[in-house]
Amino acid sequence: GDSVTQKQGQVTLSEDDFLFINCTYSTTTYPTLLWYVQYLGQGPQLLLKVTTANNKGISRGFEATYDKGTTSFHLQKASVQESDSAVYFCALAPNYAQGLTFGLGTRVSVFP
Amino acid sequence: DMKVTQMPRYLIKRMGENVLLECGQDMSHETMYWYRQDPGLGLQLIYISYDVDSNSEGDIPKGYRVSRKKREHFSLILDSAKTNQTSVYFCASSRDRGREQYFGPGTRLTVL
């Protein structure tokens, strides 16, 4: 079945630091890969999606790409702010349109 | 304003009691989902509904059932709740069977 591995459980940064979170995936389909962000006490919100390998998704200063060769996808932001503190989930949507398969999440804490 | 709502937001029940979690969306989305979120396990798919009275099991359906009698409402039912069903439950919806899922704010259920 489909799977997503998100190994970084926690990342601690200072404001203006560079953020990089990586996930790997396994699927037999042509997936869409997504990033969700979850702030404390809220549901996950869609941050970015990438439908084609090597294309880039951009939103709110975040960038996401995926590499079919290495079956990896990543999220990055050049300069984080304290307001970016949240849990970030990568997710895989197979092309047969079932529910999403989520990674376990990366808790990002940004300190001033 | 596109919105997924969940009621109640917090619920405490005793083991063996019945539980009803309600979800609504105002986007006329065909597809709706129920997930649960647990520390260390991430978000796991319980059920999918493709439209009224068209429901399908997700990855962890045991102990749950669902009901969808109107497109905008999707209910999750726990008959005789168990302590291991203590969790945060999220409802989501998407247009057709699209990859972009919109999540509600969650219901925190505690079963004593």
Side-chain angles (χ1 to χ4, degrees):
Chain A
D2 300 319
S3 67
V4 174
T5 302
Q6 186 174 2
K7 289 187 177 177
Q8 296 160 280
Q10 182 145 341
V11 172
T12 302
L13 299 167
S14 299
E15 280 192 327
D16 299 324
D17 279 353
F18 174 71
L19 171 67
F20 182 90
I21 305 172
N22 190 62
C23 288
T24 57
Y25 69 92
S26 174
T27 181
T28 57
T29 71
Y30 296 96
T32 291
L33 296 161
L34 307 100
W35 287 95
Y36 279 80
V37 58
Q38 186 176 26
Y39 299 101
L40 193 64
Q42 299 182 22
Q45 303 172 20
L46 179 64
L47 179 60
L48 281 168
K49 70 173 183 179
V50 184
T51 57
T52 307
N54 300 322
N55 278 7
K56 189 182 290 187
I58 299 175
S59 175
R60 302 191 237 167
F62 290 88
E63 293 182 7
T65 57
Y66 87 85
D67 184 329
K68 212 164 82 168
T70 59
T71 62
S72 64
F73 60 123
H74 60 263
L75 178 72
Q76 63 183 58
K77 188 176 186 185
S79 176
V80 293
Q81 302 303 306
E82 193 175 2
S83 57
D84 294 322
S85 296
V87 180
Y88 292 82
F89 294 92
C90 52
L92 180 153
N95 66 359
Y96 50 84
Q98 288 285 338
L100 300 174
T101 300
F102 283 89
L104 293 182
T106 298
R107 181 174 300 279
V108 174
S109 301
V110 181
F111 294 95
Chain B
D1 193 23
M2 301 185 295
K3 192 181 278 191
V4 177
T5 57
Q6 290 186 238
M7 291 293 287
R9 293 293 315 277
Y10 301 90
L11 186 61
I12 299 175
K13 288 286 193 178
R14 296 199 179 278
M15 194 168 59
E17 292 185 329
N18 297 331
V19 176
L20 174 65
L21 305 184
E22 310 247 39
C23 175
Q25 49 97 1
D26 61 2
M27 298 170 276
S28 297
H29 284 171
E30 288 185 359
T31 311
M32 297 185 74
Y33 313 79
W34 278 105
Y35 293 86
R36 63 178 282 177
Q37 184 176 37
D38 301 286
L41 295 177
L43 283 147
Q44 298 174 278
L45 180 66
I46 306 171
Y47 266 95
I48 304 174
S49 174
Y50 297 112
D51 211 328
V52 171
D53 285 330
S54 177
N55 306 316
S56 179
E57 294 181 346
D59 298 321
I60 53 162
K62 188 177 177 184
Y64 304 94
R65 61 183 175 94
V66 292
S67 175
R68 190 158 178 213
K69 298 301 182 185
K70 292 183 179 180
R71 180 173 278 193
E72 61 269 23
H73 291 300
F74 189 32
S75 301
L76 181 69
I77 301 138
L78 288 67
D79 295 313
S80 186
K82 300 171 180 53
T83 55
N84 62 8
Q85 292 177 308
T86 291
S87 186
V88 181
Y89 291 86
F90 288 100
C91 174
S93 72
S94 66
R95 181 175 57 82
D96 301 323
R97 298 184 184 190
R99 284 74 179 269
E100 294 182 33
Q101 295 184 20
Y102 296 86
F103 284 78
T107 294
R108 182 175 294 276
L109 172 67
T110 302
V111 182
L112 301 174

